[in-house]
Short mmCIF file of all heavy atoms in Angstrom, two decimals:
data_model
loop_
_atom_site.label_atom_id
_atom_site.label_comp_id
_atom_site.label_asym_id
_atom_site.label_seq_id
_atom_site.Cartn_x
_atom_site.Cartn_y
_atom_site.Cartn_z
N PRO A 48 22.90 16.00 -21.85
CA PRO A 48 23.32 15.25 -20.70
C PRO A 48 24.67 14.50 -20.87
O PRO A 48 25.37 14.31 -19.97
CB PRO A 48 22.18 14.27 -20.51
CG PRO A 48 21.50 14.15 -21.80
CD PRO A 48 21.64 15.51 -22.43
N LEU A 49 24.96 14.00 -22.09
CA LEU A 49 26.18 13.33 -22.31
C LEU A 49 27.36 14.20 -22.14
O LEU A 49 28.42 13.82 -21.54
CB LEU A 49 26.19 12.66 -23.74
CG LEU A 49 25.14 11.54 -23.89
CD1 LEU A 49 25.18 11.01 -25.34
CD2 LEU A 49 25.36 10.43 -22.89
N GLU A 50 27.29 15.42 -22.67
CA GLU A 50 28.40 16.35 -22.44
C GLU A 50 28.46 16.78 -20.95
O GLU A 50 29.58 16.97 -20.42
CB GLU A 50 28.15 17.65 -23.27
CG GLU A 50 28.19 17.40 -24.79
CD GLU A 50 27.72 18.63 -25.60
OE1 GLU A 50 28.49 19.60 -25.52
OE2 GLU A 50 26.67 18.58 -26.15
N ALA A 51 27.31 16.87 -20.32
CA ALA A 51 27.33 17.18 -18.90
C ALA A 51 28.00 16.11 -18.10
O ALA A 51 28.80 16.42 -17.17
CB ALA A 51 25.83 17.37 -18.43
N ARG A 52 27.76 14.86 -18.45
CA ARG A 52 28.38 13.74 -17.72
C ARG A 52 29.91 13.84 -17.85
O ARG A 52 30.62 13.69 -16.84
CB ARG A 52 27.88 12.43 -18.30
CG ARG A 52 28.49 11.20 -17.58
CD ARG A 52 27.94 9.93 -18.16
NE ARG A 52 28.33 9.75 -19.58
CZ ARG A 52 27.93 8.77 -20.33
NH1 ARG A 52 27.13 7.81 -19.87
NH2 ARG A 52 28.29 8.67 -21.62
N SER A 53 30.37 14.11 -19.00
CA SER A 53 31.83 14.17 -19.25
C SER A 53 32.48 15.29 -18.42
O SER A 53 33.51 15.09 -17.76
CB SER A 53 32.08 14.37 -20.74
OG SER A 53 33.48 14.53 -20.96
N LEU A 54 31.86 16.48 -18.42
CA LEU A 54 32.41 17.60 -17.71
C LEU A 54 32.34 17.41 -16.15
O LEU A 54 33.27 17.70 -15.48
CB LEU A 54 31.68 18.89 -18.11
CG LEU A 54 32.33 20.22 -17.76
CD1 LEU A 54 33.73 20.30 -18.33
CD2 LEU A 54 31.47 21.38 -18.28
N LEU A 55 31.23 16.79 -15.71
CA LEU A 55 31.12 16.56 -14.24
C LEU A 55 32.07 15.50 -13.76
O LEU A 55 32.59 15.60 -12.65
CB LEU A 55 29.67 16.16 -13.95
CG LEU A 55 28.69 17.33 -14.05
CD1 LEU A 55 27.24 16.81 -14.07
CD2 LEU A 55 28.85 18.29 -12.88
N MET A 56 32.32 14.48 -14.58
CA MET A 56 33.30 13.47 -14.21
C MET A 56 34.71 14.09 -14.12
O MET A 56 35.50 13.71 -13.24
CB MET A 56 33.28 12.32 -15.23
CG MET A 56 32.03 11.42 -15.14
SD MET A 56 31.97 10.13 -16.35
CE MET A 56 33.25 9.05 -15.67
N ARG A 57 34.98 15.03 -15.03
CA ARG A 57 36.32 15.73 -14.98
C ARG A 57 36.38 16.55 -13.71
O ARG A 57 37.44 16.60 -13.02
CB ARG A 57 36.49 16.55 -16.23
CG ARG A 57 37.90 17.13 -16.36
CD ARG A 57 38.19 17.56 -17.76
NE ARG A 57 37.42 18.78 -18.10
CZ ARG A 57 37.29 19.22 -19.34
NH1 ARG A 57 37.82 18.56 -20.33
NH2 ARG A 57 36.58 20.34 -19.54
N SER A 58 35.31 17.28 -13.36
CA SER A 58 35.26 18.07 -12.18
C SER A 58 35.47 17.23 -10.95
O SER A 58 36.26 17.58 -10.03
CB SER A 58 33.88 18.81 -12.07
OG SER A 58 33.79 19.48 -10.86
N LEU A 59 34.81 16.08 -10.87
CA LEU A 59 34.93 15.17 -9.76
C LEU A 59 36.36 14.66 -9.69
O LEU A 59 36.95 14.58 -8.56
CB LEU A 59 33.92 14.02 -9.90
CG LEU A 59 33.73 13.09 -8.73
CD1 LEU A 59 33.23 13.83 -7.52
CD2 LEU A 59 32.76 12.00 -9.10
N GLY A 60 36.92 14.33 -10.84
CA GLY A 60 38.31 13.79 -10.83
C GLY A 60 39.35 14.81 -10.40
O GLY A 60 40.41 14.47 -9.94
N ARG A 61 38.96 16.08 -10.52
CA ARG A 61 39.90 17.17 -10.13
C ARG A 61 39.72 17.59 -8.67
O ARG A 61 40.31 18.56 -8.24
CB ARG A 61 39.70 18.41 -11.03
CG ARG A 61 40.14 18.11 -12.52
CD ARG A 61 39.89 19.36 -13.33
NE ARG A 61 40.69 20.50 -12.94
CZ ARG A 61 40.53 21.78 -13.35
NH1 ARG A 61 39.51 22.04 -14.21
NH2 ARG A 61 41.31 22.77 -12.93
N GLY A 62 38.88 16.87 -7.94
CA GLY A 62 38.73 17.12 -6.49
C GLY A 62 37.53 17.86 -6.09
O GLY A 62 37.41 18.13 -4.86
N CYS A 63 36.59 18.13 -7.01
CA CYS A 63 35.34 18.82 -6.58
C CYS A 63 34.31 17.74 -6.18
O CYS A 63 33.49 17.35 -7.03
CB CYS A 63 34.83 19.69 -7.72
SG CYS A 63 33.35 20.64 -7.27
#
Side-chain angles (χ1 to χ4, degrees):
L49 294 178
E50 296 172 69
R52 180 180 63 184
S53 177
L54 195 56
L55 287 165
M56 289 179 71
R57 189 162 70 194
S58 171
L59 190 61
R61 294 178 63 191
C63 183

